[in-house]
Structures are given as C-alpha cells and as structure tokens.
Amino acid sequence: MLVLSRKPGEKILIGDDVTVTIVRIGPNTVRIGIEAPRTMNIVREELCEPAGHCERTLEVQPENETL
C-alpha cells in the first residue's frame, strides 16, 4: 500500500485517467474528489461487502507446477 501525505487542494494522479483531489480535511474525516471516466466503477468499500455487489477476483497462478 502506498501512503501519501497531501494538503487540501493537492492531487494524486492514478494512471492517465484518474485524479484524486483532497477537498477538505476535518478532525475525523477527509473529503476527496475523484475524476475518472464514466465507464470506471467507483464504489465505497463498505457498500460492497454486505450486499456482495463488488466482487473482487484474484487470479492466482502457481509458481512451479509439476505434472
């Protein structure tokens, strides 16, 4: 995990298409703005887990497979 320190108004660029802007920092919260293509699905994690709407798939490939 990459951990960055940012001040309000500063941005984080992810690839060529996503920009995360720190909008406001409060005592217990951080408000962020996300600019991304409309085709990209952006969902808060807590909304995914209970309903199972956001399935993450991880493809695991064996390091050394012997036949």
Side-chain angles (χ1 to χ4, degrees):
M1 175 187 305
L2 175 64
V3 179
L4 301 171
S5 297
R6 301 278 78 197
K7 296 178 182 176
E10 294 183 332
K11 298 180 180 192
I12 299 168
L13 305 176
I14 303 173
D16 294 331
D17 298 333
V18 180
T19 302
V20 178
T21 304
I22 307 304
V23 176
R24 184 174 63 211
I25 300 174
N28 296 317
T29 61
V30 175
R31 184 163 289 224
I32 62 172
I34 302 171
E35 295 176 54
R38 290 195 175 271
T39 57
M40 183 174 287
N41 189 22
I42 301 173
V43 181
R44 296 181 320 199
E45 183 180 31
E46 65 270 17
L47 297 179
C48 294
E49 292 179 8
H53 291 293
C54 307
E55 295 182 20
R56 290 185 181 173
T57 58
L58 177 62
E59 189 174 315
V60 178
Q61 298 180 1
E63 292 179 19
N64 295 320
E65 187 175 298
T66 307
L67 298 177

PDB file of all heavy atoms in Angstrom, residues 43-56:
ATOM      1  N   VAL A  43     -16.847   2.691  -6.174  1.00  0.00           N
ATOM      2  CA  VAL A  43     -17.804   2.385  -5.118  1.00  0.00           C
ATOM      3  C   VAL A  43     -17.076   2.363  -3.785  1.00  0.00           C
ATOM      4  O   VAL A  43     -15.960   1.855  -3.688  1.00  0.00           O
ATOM      5  CB  VAL A  43     -18.467   1.008  -5.362  1.00  0.00           C
ATOM      6  CG1 VAL A  43     -19.490   0.693  -4.289  1.00  0.00           C
ATOM      7  CG2 VAL A  43     -19.113   0.951  -6.729  1.00  0.00           C
ATOM      8  N   ARG A  44     -17.711   2.901  -2.755  1.00  0.00           N
ATOM      9  CA  ARG A  44     -17.127   2.809  -1.408  1.00  0.00           C
ATOM     10  C   ARG A  44     -17.127   1.350  -0.966  1.00  0.00           C
ATOM     11  O   ARG A  44     -18.106   0.629  -1.166  1.00  0.00           O
ATOM     12  CB  ARG A  44     -17.934   3.645  -0.414  1.00  0.00           C
ATOM     13  CG  ARG A  44     -17.915   5.103  -0.717  1.00  0.00           C
ATOM     14  CD  ARG A  44     -18.691   5.878   0.298  1.00  0.00           C
ATOM     15  NE  ARG A  44     -19.918   5.162   0.657  1.00  0.00           N
ATOM     16  CZ  ARG A  44     -20.956   5.723   1.221  1.00  0.00           C
ATOM     17  NH1 ARG A  44     -20.965   6.991   1.505  1.00  0.00           N
ATOM     18  NH2 ARG A  44     -22.022   5.018   1.526  1.00  0.00           N
ATOM     19  N   GLU A  45     -16.053   0.932  -0.347  1.00  0.00           N
ATOM     20  CA  GLU A  45     -15.900  -0.470   0.036  1.00  0.00           C
ATOM     21  C   GLU A  45     -17.020  -0.950   0.949  1.00  0.00           C
ATOM     22  O   GLU A  45     -17.521  -2.068   0.801  1.00  0.00           O
ATOM     23  CB  GLU A  45     -14.549  -0.688   0.720  1.00  0.00           C
ATOM     24  CG  GLU A  45     -14.300  -2.135   1.087  1.00  0.00           C
ATOM     25  CD  GLU A  45     -12.959  -2.328   1.774  1.00  0.00           C
ATOM     26  OE1 GLU A  45     -12.512  -1.402   2.474  1.00  0.00           O
ATOM     27  OE2 GLU A  45     -12.375  -3.401   1.605  1.00  0.00           O
ATOM     28  N   GLU A  46     -17.454  -0.122   1.890  1.00  0.00           N
ATOM     29  CA  GLU A  46     -18.477  -0.572   2.841  1.00  0.00           C
ATOM     30  C   GLU A  46     -19.817  -0.848   2.167  1.00  0.00           C
ATOM     31  O   GLU A  46     -20.662  -1.550   2.703  1.00  0.00           O
ATOM     32  CB  GLU A  46     -18.660   0.432   3.986  1.00  0.00           C
ATOM     33  CG  GLU A  46     -19.195   1.778   3.576  1.00  0.00           C
ATOM     34  CD  GLU A  46     -18.126   2.793   3.221  1.00  0.00           C
ATOM     35  OE1 GLU A  46     -16.967   2.411   2.982  1.00  0.00           O
ATOM     36  OE2 GLU A  46     -18.462   3.984   3.173  1.00  0.00           O
ATOM     37  N   LEU A  47     -20.031  -0.332   0.967  1.00  0.00           N
ATOM     38  CA  LEU A  47     -21.263  -0.622   0.238  1.00  0.00           C
ATOM     39  C   LEU A  47     -21.172  -1.938  -0.517  1.00  0.00           C
ATOM     40  O   LEU A  47     -22.186  -2.498  -0.906  1.00  0.00           O
ATOM     41  CB  LEU A  47     -21.566   0.507  -0.754  1.00  0.00           C
ATOM     42  CG  LEU A  47     -21.824   1.871  -0.140  1.00  0.00           C
ATOM     43  CD1 LEU A  47     -22.080   2.891  -1.233  1.00  0.00           C
ATOM     44  CD2 LEU A  47     -22.982   1.826   0.833  1.00  0.00           C
ATOM     45  N   CYS A  48     -19.993  -2.441  -0.727  1.00  0.00           N
ATOM     46  CA  CYS A  48     -19.804  -3.672  -1.494  1.00  0.00           C
ATOM     47  C   CYS A  48     -19.958  -4.929  -0.657  1.00  0.00           C
ATOM     48  O   CYS A  48     -20.618  -5.868  -1.058  1.00  0.00           O
ATOM     49  CB  CYS A  48     -18.416  -3.687  -2.122  1.00  0.00           C
ATOM     50  SG  CYS A  48     -18.178  -2.437  -3.360  1.00  0.00           S
ATOM     51  N   GLU A  49     -19.342  -4.956   0.481  1.00  0.00           N
ATOM     52  CA  GLU A  49     -19.219  -6.200   1.231  1.00  0.00           C
ATOM     53  C   GLU A  49     -20.544  -6.813   1.681  1.00  0.00           C
ATOM     54  O   GLU A  49     -20.778  -7.977   1.442  1.00  0.00           O
ATOM     55  CB  GLU A  49     -18.276  -6.006   2.415  1.00  0.00           C
ATOM     56  CG  GLU A  49     -16.857  -5.789   1.949  1.00  0.00           C
ATOM     57  CD  GLU A  49     -15.885  -5.567   3.078  1.00  0.00           C
ATOM     58  OE1 GLU A  49     -16.277  -5.728   4.240  1.00  0.00           O
ATOM     59  OE2 GLU A  49     -14.735  -5.236   2.790  1.00  0.00           O
ATOM     60  N   PRO A  50     -21.447  -6.077   2.332  1.00  0.00           N
ATOM     61  CA  PRO A  50     -22.655  -6.741   2.817  1.00  0.00           C
ATOM     62  C   PRO A  50     -23.552  -7.276   1.701  1.00  0.00           C
ATOM     63  O   PRO A  50     -24.096  -8.354   1.796  1.00  0.00           O
ATOM     64  CB  PRO A  50     -23.396  -5.664   3.597  1.00  0.00           C
ATOM     65  CG  PRO A  50     -22.502  -4.499   3.681  1.00  0.00           C
ATOM     66  CD  PRO A  50     -21.398  -4.695   2.707  1.00  0.00           C
ATOM     67  N   ALA A  51     -23.688  -6.540   0.640  1.00  0.00           N
ATOM     68  CA  ALA A  51     -24.589  -6.938  -0.431  1.00  0.00           C
ATOM     69  C   ALA A  51     -23.901  -7.811  -1.478  1.00  0.00           C
ATOM     70  O   ALA A  51     -24.562  -8.414  -2.306  1.00  0.00           O
ATOM     71  CB  ALA A  51     -25.168  -5.697  -1.097  1.00  0.00           C
ATOM     72  N   GLY A  52     -22.577  -7.850  -1.466  1.00  0.00           N
ATOM     73  CA  GLY A  52     -21.844  -8.654  -2.430  1.00  0.00           C
ATOM     74  C   GLY A  52     -21.885  -8.092  -3.842  1.00  0.00           C
ATOM     75  O   GLY A  52     -21.709  -8.809  -4.806  1.00  0.00           O
ATOM     76  N   HIS A  53     -22.119  -6.782  -3.973  1.00  0.00           N
ATOM     77  CA  HIS A  53     -22.207  -6.172  -5.299  1.00  0.00           C
ATOM     78  C   HIS A  53     -20.855  -6.037  -5.971  1.00  0.00           C
ATOM     79  O   HIS A  53     -20.775  -5.991  -7.180  1.00  0.00           O
ATOM     80  CB  HIS A  53     -22.842  -4.774  -5.202  1.00  0.00           C
ATOM     81  CG  HIS A  53     -24.282  -4.825  -4.851  1.00  0.00           C
ATOM     82  ND1 HIS A  53     -25.236  -5.343  -5.685  1.00  0.00           N
ATOM     83  CD2 HIS A  53     -24.930  -4.432  -3.734  1.00  0.00           C
ATOM     84  CE1 HIS A  53     -26.417  -5.255  -5.100  1.00  0.00           C
ATOM     85  NE2 HIS A  53     -26.254  -4.707  -3.928  1.00  0.00           N
ATOM     86  N   CYS A  54     -19.800  -5.924  -5.213  1.00  0.00           N
ATOM     87  CA  CYS A  54     -18.478  -5.656  -5.780  1.00  0.00           C
ATOM     88  C   CYS A  54     -17.584  -6.858  -5.544  1.00  0.00           C
ATOM     89  O   CYS A  54     -16.918  -6.945  -4.527  1.00  0.00           O
ATOM     90  CB  CYS A  54     -17.854  -4.425  -5.143  1.00  0.00           C
ATOM     91  SG  CYS A  54     -18.913  -2.994  -5.185  1.00  0.00           S
ATOM     92  N   GLU A  55     -17.603  -7.757  -6.453  1.00  0.00           N
ATOM     93  CA  GLU A  55     -16.768  -8.941  -6.302  1.00  0.00           C
ATOM     94  C   GLU A  55     -15.383  -8.655  -6.842  1.00  0.00           C
ATOM     95  O   GLU A  55     -15.222  -8.187  -7.953  1.00  0.00           O
ATOM     96  CB  GLU A  55     -17.380 -10.127  -7.042  1.00  0.00           C
ATOM     97  CG  GLU A  55     -18.694 -10.570  -6.461  1.00  0.00           C
ATOM     98  CD  GLU A  55     -19.239 -11.762  -7.197  1.00  0.00           C
ATOM     99  OE1 GLU A  55     -18.463 -12.461  -7.884  1.00  0.00           O
ATOM    100  OE2 GLU A  55     -20.443 -12.004  -7.087  1.00  0.00           O
ATOM    101  N   ARG A  56     -14.396  -8.928  -6.019  1.00  0.00           N
ATOM    102  CA  ARG A  56     -13.014  -8.795  -6.461  1.00  0.00           C
ATOM    103  C   ARG A  56     -12.512 -10.183  -6.806  1.00  0.00           C
ATOM    104  O   ARG A  56     -12.654 -11.114  -6.028  1.00  0.00           O
ATOM    105  CB  ARG A  56     -12.134  -8.216  -5.356  1.00  0.00           C
ATOM    106  CG  ARG A  56     -12.417  -6.788  -5.063  1.00  0.00           C
ATOM    107  CD  ARG A  56     -11.436  -6.288  -4.052  1.00  0.00           C
ATOM    108  NE  ARG A  56     -11.716  -4.909  -3.731  1.00  0.00           N
ATOM    109  CZ  ARG A  56     -11.101  -4.237  -2.785  1.00  0.00           C
ATOM    110  NH1 ARG A  56     -10.170  -4.815  -2.066  1.00  0.00           N
ATOM    111  NH2 ARG A  56     -11.402  -2.992  -2.552  1.00  0.00           N
TER     112      ARG A  56
END
